[in-house]
């Protein structure tokens, strides 16, 4: 689904920190959504995250650097990292080129399935996202 | 008007200042403190690497230890910086969704840097923002910025050079300059500036701080009230300081020594000589930083610094270098007689490609001591001749001014002769430039398809176009202790009458012979 020129593929879930999640049983794959990628600019470094790392919903657990800015990655749910996209160590710009595909960040084993309810599909994301877009546009016109 | 806190944390150690960054950002994210403008300074002097950088790759640790320069890691991105008391740090720590703050990072950089630009202009300095994150005065950098975020808060920080100690910075950081020669100090001085150099005097720190605060207040539509660290911040500071003093934090990022390569190339055409010194992230195939120097003419002056800036962080893949360079020339009105985009691409590519020589078996520290002419190392046929410079012979030797060697063992030429014989190469000592040209032409005429030689980098730079014109592909190994060009004795050297004695790099010479002669013959079954 396109919202104001930003692609939000169907079948994925989204959160208000601008990440996408894909669910497969008790494993959640996540990455930056296209909006976050465009705000950040080209990624040059991504932290490697060791499997086994515990993550907490809404809390930062890894970093990604674009243009001297260290951005944070926030977990969509509580859980444990089971896999990190090792390609990003040498090709962090995959996040820019293919945020919903080869630019995925980590896979998390979900600890609290009840938290998944907070994630949104593109349709339910749209009203909030439009207000977010309004805020950003307003800033850009300053 | 909302009151923001004006927090001056004074002069502190690197670990304390880095810990305070984390503390204030966390305090802001938790809603404990008002939005803040912080001023900071460092003593002892220190080197701060960016959050994702590796200390050992960016810092000359032994020099820093010897000089009492501290080393630490920032929580923000970007490159390694040298700080001493002559620099002022400024930071904005605020909520991300503050109405005055752009969400797009590039816009945030540009907007907040605007306050520093206008403060500098009020001081009488012609400052302007240089995308993406620097402030410059007549194309020379005076301030760099970076940032990070935590939940709903962000920290945006910058340096401001009040005065600047170039030599110490060059010694403390692994900047891609060749050696610490006057020329390199001058080339760094051309690229940076400080208030002292611009104004001719050192402005009072209090004046600079007051101007920065006034301009941030105007830009953001806020007022500032001086305030200290809160009790909660002070407690958190005490709790996190040990982390920022620990090796675990300072050495948090380690990278393979292969990953960061300092590479150099020389490119010459009718427009002049173009020297490229760059740092390559060989894994990510990215140019981390680059210096382009030489004797070419550029208008507007210093425009080449904009090209360096455009290349910083760009892809080192050939087609991407082409794109970056072409885009730069298309967007800028730059006049460099005799050198076009294609020449810059070739110069950059020659340096980048040297990174691959490590895979051929050349040591990391040796790649810049090898030059090629009229061909590439990878494709060159096995040479059958070894050309040696007369200047490596002892000044009193009877062979100093005539071809040949008695193998007496008093200089490295005799050892090179033995090497040549061991690997079935014909050694020839070159007595002057004319003899070199004649020898190369004869070799070419006689069916040789390559040569191996040794000469100093200055000789190679001076005669690169002559080698290319003659057209016999060759590999040249640098020499040690070469000073004739630096001493301005090149006319004597040309005629074969220079008195200094150079030393041949015998180990590297043998390594090249093994790679180009032995291995290649093994592959073709000729040995």
């Amino acid at each position: 689904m396109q919202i104001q020129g930003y692609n939000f593929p169907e079948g994925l879930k989204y959160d208000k920190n601008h990440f996408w999640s894909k669910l497969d049983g008790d494993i959640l794959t996540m990455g930056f959504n296209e909006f976050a990628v465009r705000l950040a600019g080209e990624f040059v470094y991504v932290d490697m995250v060791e499997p086994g790392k515990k993550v907490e919903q809404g809390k930062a657990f890894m970093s990604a650097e674009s243009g001297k800015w260290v951005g944070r990655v926030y977990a969509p749910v509580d859980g444990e990292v089971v896999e990190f996209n090792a390609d990003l160590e040498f090709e962090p710009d995959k996040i820019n080129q293919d945020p919903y595909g080869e630019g995925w960040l980590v896979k998390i084993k979900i600890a609290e399935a009840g938290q998944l309810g907070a994630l949104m599909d593109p349709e339910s994301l749209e009203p909030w996202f439009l207000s977010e877009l309004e805020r950003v546009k307003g800033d850009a016109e300053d | 008007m909302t009151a923001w806190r004006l927090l001056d944390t004074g002069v502190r150690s690197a670990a304390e200042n880095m810990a305070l960054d984390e503390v204030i950002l966390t305090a802001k994210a938790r809603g404990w403190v008002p939005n803040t403008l912080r001023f900071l300074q460092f003593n002892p002097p220190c080197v701060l690497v960016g959050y994702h950088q590796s200390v050992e790759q960016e810092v000359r640790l032994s020099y820093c230890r010897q000089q009492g320069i501290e080393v630490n890691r920032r929580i923000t991105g970007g490159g390694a910086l040298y700080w001493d008391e002559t620099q002022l740090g400024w930071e904005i720590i605020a909520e991300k969704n503050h109405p005055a703050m752009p969400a797009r990072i590039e816009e945030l950089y540009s907007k907040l840097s605007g306050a520093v630009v206008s403060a500098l202009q009020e001081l009488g300095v012609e400052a302007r923002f240089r995308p993406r994150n620097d402030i410059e005065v007549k194309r020379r950098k005076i301030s760099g910025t970076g940032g990070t975020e935590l939940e709903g808060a962000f920290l945006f920080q910058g340096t401001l050079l009040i005065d600047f100690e170039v030599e110490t910075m060059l010694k403390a950081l692994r900047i891609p300059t060749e050696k610490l020669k006057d020329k390199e100090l001058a080339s760094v001085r051309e690229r940076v500036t400080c208030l002292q150099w611009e104004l001719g005097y050192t402005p009072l720190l209090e004046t600079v701080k007051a101007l920065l605060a006034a301009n941030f207040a105007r830009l953001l539509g806020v007022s500032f009230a001086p305030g200290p660290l809160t009790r909660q911040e002070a407690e958190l500071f005490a709790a996190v300081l040990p982390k920022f003093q620990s090796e675990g934090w300072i050495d948090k990022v380690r990278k393979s020594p292969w990953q960061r390569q300092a590479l150099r190339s020389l490119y010459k055409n009718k427009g002049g000589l173009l020297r490229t010194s760059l740092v390559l992230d060989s894994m990510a195939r990215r140019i981390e930083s680059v210096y382009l120097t030489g004797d070419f003419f550029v208008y507007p002056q210093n425009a080449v610094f904009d090209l360096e800036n455009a290349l910083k962080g760009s892809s080192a893949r050939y087609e991407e270098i082409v794109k970056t360079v072409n885009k730069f020339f298309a967007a800028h009105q730059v006049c460099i007689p005799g050198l076009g985009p294609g020449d810059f691409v070739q110069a950059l590519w020659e340096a980048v490609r040297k990174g691959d020589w490590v895979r051929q078996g050349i040591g990391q520290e040796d790649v810049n001591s090898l030059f090629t002419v009229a061909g590439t190392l990878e494709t060159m046929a096995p040479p059958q001749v070894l050309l040696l410079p007369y200047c490596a012979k002892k000044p009193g030797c009877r062979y100093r001014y005539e071809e040949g060697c008695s193998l007496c063992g008093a200089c490295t030429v005799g050892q090179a002769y033995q090497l040549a014989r061991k690997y079935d190469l014909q050694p020839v000592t070159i007595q002057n430039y004319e003899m070199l040209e004649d020898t190369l032409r004869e070799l070419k005429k006689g069916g040789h398809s390559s040569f191996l030689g040794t000469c100093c980098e200055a000789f190679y730079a001076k005669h690169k176009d002559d080698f290319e014109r003659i057209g016999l592909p060759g590999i040249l190994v640098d020499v040690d202790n070469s000073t004739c060009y630096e001493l301005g004795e090149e006319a004597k050297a040309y005629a074969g009458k220079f008195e200094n004695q150079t030393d041949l790099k015998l180990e590297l010479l043998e390594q090249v012979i093994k790679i180009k002669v032995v291995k290649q013959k093994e592959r073709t079954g000729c040995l």
Side-chain angles (χ1 to χ4, degrees):
Chain A
M1 176 176 174
Q2 294 284 326
I3 309 177
Q4 299 277 318
Y6 294 95
N7 183 26
F8 291 93
E10 304 286 349
L12 300 181
K13 298 284 190 183
Y14 300 89
D15 62 47
K16 290 185 178 177
N17 287 318
H18 297 297
F19 294 93
W20 59 265
S21 295
K22 190 170 100 184
L23 302 173
D24 184 8
D26 63 348
I27 301 296
L28 177 152
T29 306
M30 70 172 294
F32 285 99
N33 73 21
E34 195 182 284
F35 177 74
V37 168
R38 285 207 229 162
L39 283 187
E42 190 177 357
F43 284 96
V44 293
Y45 292 109
V46 178
D47 268 354
M48 279 181 294
V49 183
E50 294 299 326
K53 181 165 183 158
K54 298 271 189 282
V55 300
E56 207 179 315
Q57 186 181 40
K59 297 280 180 210
F61 70 94
M62 69 182 281
S63 301
E65 182 171 336
S66 60
K68 323 261 172 190
W69 188 272
V70 175
R72 308 295 183 113
V73 179
Y74 300 95
V77 290
D78 291 359
E80 182 183 315
V81 173
V82 289
E83 196 180 336
F84 163 70
N85 183 357
D87 288 350
L88 298 181
E89 189 186 357
F90 304 125
E91 293 177 90
D93 54 345
K94 278 190 170 173
I95 300 174
N96 300 84
Q97 288 152 10
D98 189 11
Y100 298 111
E102 289 189 358
W104 67 275
L105 300 172
V106 290
K107 294 185 181 186
I108 296 169
K109 188 169 194 303
I110 302 162
E112 288 291 331
Q115 292 174 334
L116 296 171
L119 302 179
M120 296 171 276
D121 53 32
E123 287 73 23
S124 51
L125 177 81
E126 188 171 13
W128 173 81
F129 181 70
L130 287 173
S131 67
E132 183 76 352
L133 212 50
E134 200 54 43
R135 182 178 73 79
V136 173
K137 268 191 190 159
D139 290 339
E141 284 161 11
D142 272 356
Chain B
M1 240 192 223
T2 334
W4 283 34
R5 174 173 58 165
L6 180 60
L7 173 68
D8 192 336
T9 53
V11 182
R12 289 176 179 261
S13 72
E16 288 173 339
N17 271 324
M18 297 304 94
L20 281 171
D21 279 351
E22 183 171 278
V23 165
I24 303 166
L25 179 62
T26 307
K28 184 66 232 174
R30 293 183 189 169
W32 295 346
V33 293
N35 293 332
T36 298
L37 168 62
R38 175 189 177 210
F39 290 122
L40 59 152
Q41 282 177 276
F42 292 83
N43 193 23
C46 63
V47 167
L48 301 176
V49 298
Y51 181 74
H52 287 104
Q53 289 189 304
S54 137
V55 166
E56 58 187 1
Q57 287 180 8
E58 304 297 332
V59 185
R60 294 186 211 276
L61 278 170
S62 56
Y63 177 79
C64 289
R65 276 191 209 111
Q66 198 186 6
Q67 300 294 317
I69 297 170
E70 296 185 334
V71 177
N72 214 298
R73 174 178 304 281
R74 299 194 303 274
I75 64 168
T76 54
L81 301 171
Y82 170 72
W83 285 82
D84 58 23
E85 261 199 271
T86 65
Q87 292 161 56
L88 175 66
W90 48 269
E91 296 181 344
I92 292 284
I93 303 106
E95 65 246 16
K96 274 199 241 171
N97 62 4
H98 185 282
M101 300 300 170
R104 199 179 293 273
I105 287 167
E106 291 198 2
E107 285 159 18
L108 185 74
Y109 278 134
S110 151
K111 178 162 185 173
L112 292 179
S113 297
V116 182
V117 167
S118 51
L120 292 178
Q121 285 170 347
E122 280 181 42
L123 260 181
V125 173
E126 279 179 54
R128 65 178 192 122
F129 177 67
R130 175 170 75 187
R132 5 187 335 166
N133 66 314
D134 293 330
I135 297 163
E136 62 175 26
V137 181
K138 294 175 217 136
R139 293 195 161 85
R140 298 157 84 190
K141 181 170 165 176
I142 196 164
S143 169
T145 62
T148 186
E149 60 184 66
L150 181 67
E151 293 155 19
F154 74 89
L155 179 150
F156 176 72
Q157 64 183 189
T159 57
L160 181 59
L161 298 174
I162 309 285
D163 203 344
F164 191 39
E165 194 47 62
V166 179
E167 197 163 348
T168 314
M169 181 204 72
L170 279 175
K171 286 178 178 165
L173 299 180
R174 294 189 190 276
I175 301 256
T177 49
E178 295 158 46
K179 291 156 204 159
L180 295 175
K181 287 189 263 172
D182 290 348
K183 223 193 268 175
E184 274 118 35
L185 286 180
S187 84
V188 173
R189 280 202 186 99
E190 282 171 11
R191 286 160 172 77
V192 292
T193 190
C194 59
L195 290 178
Q196 213 283 337
W197 300 353
E198 291 301 321
L199 297 169
Y201 67 93
T202 310
L204 284 175
L205 209 54
E206 290 314 314
T207 309
V208 179
K209 287 177 187 173
L211 277 172
L212 288 171
N215 280 280
F216 273 116
R218 199 177 310 139
L219 177 85
L220 300 170
V222 300
S223 61
F224 289 109
L229 284 175
T230 64
R231 188 182 49 79
Q232 282 164 306
E233 284 173 319
E235 284 171 10
L236 189 56
F237 175 65
V240 303
L241 184 59
K243 176 180 105 176
F244 286 92
Q245 291 166 326
S246 72
E247 280 179 18
W249 168 256
I250 297 165
D251 287 331
K252 184 174 140 61
V253 177
R254 287 182 175 276
K255 288 179 186 168
S256 146
W258 307 102
Q259 191 167 343
R260 181 191 193 275
Q261 295 182 299
L263 304 166
R264 300 200 305 269
S265 76
L266 284 171
Y267 181 84
K268 203 176 175 191
N269 80 352
K270 60 183 185 305
L273 178 71
L274 172 56
R275 287 176 183 272
T276 304
S277 284
L278 59 81
V279 172
L280 177 75
D281 182 332
S282 61
M283 300 288 193
R285 304 298 291 173
R286 193 172 285 283
I287 295 169
E288 288 190 0
S289 58
V290 59
Y291 279 81
L292 299 165
T293 57
D295 59 5
F296 50 88
F297 172 81
V298 189
Y299 182 82
Q301 204 191 349
N302 299 350
V304 84
F305 305 162
D306 291 340
L307 175 59
E308 291 173 352
N309 199 42
L311 287 160
K312 219 158 108 180
S314 70
S315 167
R317 292 183 179 89
Y318 182 77
E319 59 280 11
E320 293 297 323
I321 295 176
V322 173
K323 265 191 222 164
T324 309
V325 172
N326 285 345
K327 198 172 144 196
F328 172 83
F329 276 92
H332 293 75
Q333 294 279 332
V334 183
C335 173
I336 309 175
L339 285 174
D343 298 304
F344 281 88
V345 168
Q346 278 317 309
L348 288 157
W349 184 238
E350 271 191 34
V352 166
R353 227 179 34 191
K354 278 192 172 182
D356 293 333
W357 291 359
V358 173
R359 265 180 240 155
Q360 301 251 328
I362 303 294
Q364 179 66 54
E365 63 289 355
D366 288 329
V367 287
N368 293 313
S369 299
L370 276 191
F371 327 111
T372 55
V373 288
T376 65
L377 185 73
E378 295 83 349
T379 57
M380 210 163 299
Q384 295 169 302
V385 58
L386 174 62
L387 308 185
L388 301 163
Y390 81 93
C391 62
K393 296 177 183 174
K394 271 180 91 73
C397 172
R398 71 184 171 96
Y399 285 105
R400 172 83 179 190
Y401 301 112
E402 58 184 271
E403 207 280 311
C405 173
S406 66
L407 274 74
C408 73
C411 73
T412 49
V413 173
Q415 290 164 280
Y417 261 65
Q418 284 166 341
L419 259 186
R421 288 182 182 158
K422 181 175 165 189
Y423 294 102
D424 207 15
L425 294 172
Q426 182 200 341
V428 180
T429 58
I430 299 295
Q431 299 301 130
N432 54 47
Y433 175 71
E434 275 78 20
M435 181 183 170
L436 171 68
E437 188 152 346
D438 291 346
T439 307
L440 292 174
R441 287 191 195 288
E442 274 168 33
L443 287 170
K444 200 176 165 190
K445 221 164 118 188
H448 283 255
S449 44
S450 70
F451 74 95
L452 175 60
T454 169
C455 70
C456 67
E457 186 170 347
F459 182 89
Y460 164 70
K462 190 170 168 54
H463 294 291
K464 189 170 193 264
D465 44 356
D466 296 318
F467 280 116
E468 304 282 350
R469 180 170 44 80
I470 298 163
L472 183 66
I475 304 165
L476 291 161
V477 178
D478 198 5
V479 297
D480 286 326
N481 192 26
S482 62
T483 52
C484 62
Y485 287 83
E486 284 159 33
L487 295 173
E489 303 265 9
E490 54 194 274
K492 279 189 187 172
Y494 183 95
K497 294 196 171 115
F498 183 58
E499 294 292 315
N500 183 53
Q501 186 189 347
T502 57
D503 294 318
L504 302 175
K505 289 177 180 288
L506 293 166
E507 279 181 33
L508 179 56
L509 205 51
E510 184 163 14
Q511 184 62 14
V512 175
I513 295 172
K514 280 181 179 165
I515 292 167
K516 286 314 298 180
V517 180
V518 182
K519 277 192 193 164
Q520 215 143 327
K521 282 186 181 170
E522 276 170 3
R523 271 201 296 275
T524 51
C526 297
L527 207 70

